[in-house]
Amino acid sequence: QDKDLFEQYYKKHLAKRLLLSKVINEDNEKDVIIKFREECGLQYTRKMEGMFQDMWTSASVTADFHRHIADSDELVHGVELNVQVLNAFHWPTHHVLLPCNLPIAPLAAFSAFKRFYLTLHSCRTLMLLPQLGSAEVELYFVGPPCGGVEGEGWQTDFTACGEMRSYTLQVSTYQMCILLLFNNRSQWNYQELQAETNISDKDLVRSLQVLIVGKPTQRVLIKRPDSRKIDQGDYFLVNTAFSSKTNRVKLQSNLVKYETDSERQETMNRITENRNHETDAAIIRILKARRVMNHESLMYELVTMLTPRFVPTREYIKIRIEVLIERGYIARNSEDRRIYEYLAEEFVTHKNVTQYQQ
């Protein structure tokens, strides 16, 4: 019944699948959207179709940017940047800009893309969303010295003493910012990492936990003291005994796989706000056409109009009617309180005249 509620959650999950490249069959996704359109109308699927369009456009823009870099003197420090330009109107969330200090090389690459993109679209604004990005980082590990004490997680099956090994780690943007700091120093404490990256406490802890968990040889970083809980005074250093049977290592995603209480509340607040706008617009549309209408007739037409999106309760409709009365769009008949009259045009005209006289 509550198609708008289903729409919100479906769009959120579709957005994650698209951004994390987890769409297994694009044709199946399109078939589902076509069925939604047939059932609920074009307005219901417009943003979903827009998300797919953004992904296709981003692939084209990325290819053009790579050609531009090859033919120009733009300094990108060897970073191969792949972009996803998202239209804020199409995507259900992720409009909040979270703080993050990017390393010099990725920041230079993004700045080069920003200049390139705004040259083509001068009236647009680009906002970097680091919480949604990912990166591939080439890491080099040096095994424990020969003849020394075996390091934590030492296994001769995978690692030879003094050996240098390279791996390509697939990480989040936050994890990339953390790992690149270890090019400057071999050890960092939590407070220093936070000061350098400017990542929020919640996201920094979540990103670090992925880097320190697992078997001894699978941990990218070692934490002191050794525990899963991360505190302000903890220290982190590179695990020189890190090893993997494959050259490319995809770390566990640090994205929460379930909806937190705050996210659930945010979703419900957004749905309530949208329902308020839709209900108010429907009431005004009906009364503007009828000019005068009794309560039961308004209720019937309103429920009929809104049911394709959600089924409003009588109590909810009464609340929205009172709001519109307070705002001066409609009024009760002076002789029969169960009859409503449309006043919006008179109200607006009167307000404009008053402002002009002042």
Side-chain angles (χ1 to χ4, degrees), residues 260-273:
T260 63
D261 291 339
S262 60
E263 290 174 337
R264 186 179 299 109
Q265 186 61 47
E266 180 184 351
T267 300
M268 295 308 302
N269 290 342
R270 189 181 307 111
I271 291 172
T272 300
E273 183 180 355

Side-chain angles (χ1 to χ4, degrees), residues 299-310:
M299 282 282 190
Y300 176 79
E301 287 204 29
L302 194 58
V303 171
T304 302
M305 183 177 292
L306 294 177
T307 297
R309 295 284 295 169
F310 68 98

Side-chain angles (χ1 to χ4, degrees), residues 142-176:
V142 179
C146 297
V149 179
E150 294 181 347
E152 180 175 342
W154 169 260
Q155 287 189 10
T156 56
D157 292 343
F158 298 147
T159 312
C161 61
E163 178 189 39
M164 177 177 288
R165 308 169 320 282
S166 67
Y167 299 97
T168 300
L169 296 189
Q170 296 175 306
V171 297
S172 69
T173 300
Y174 289 151
Q175 291 164 345
M176 174 197 70

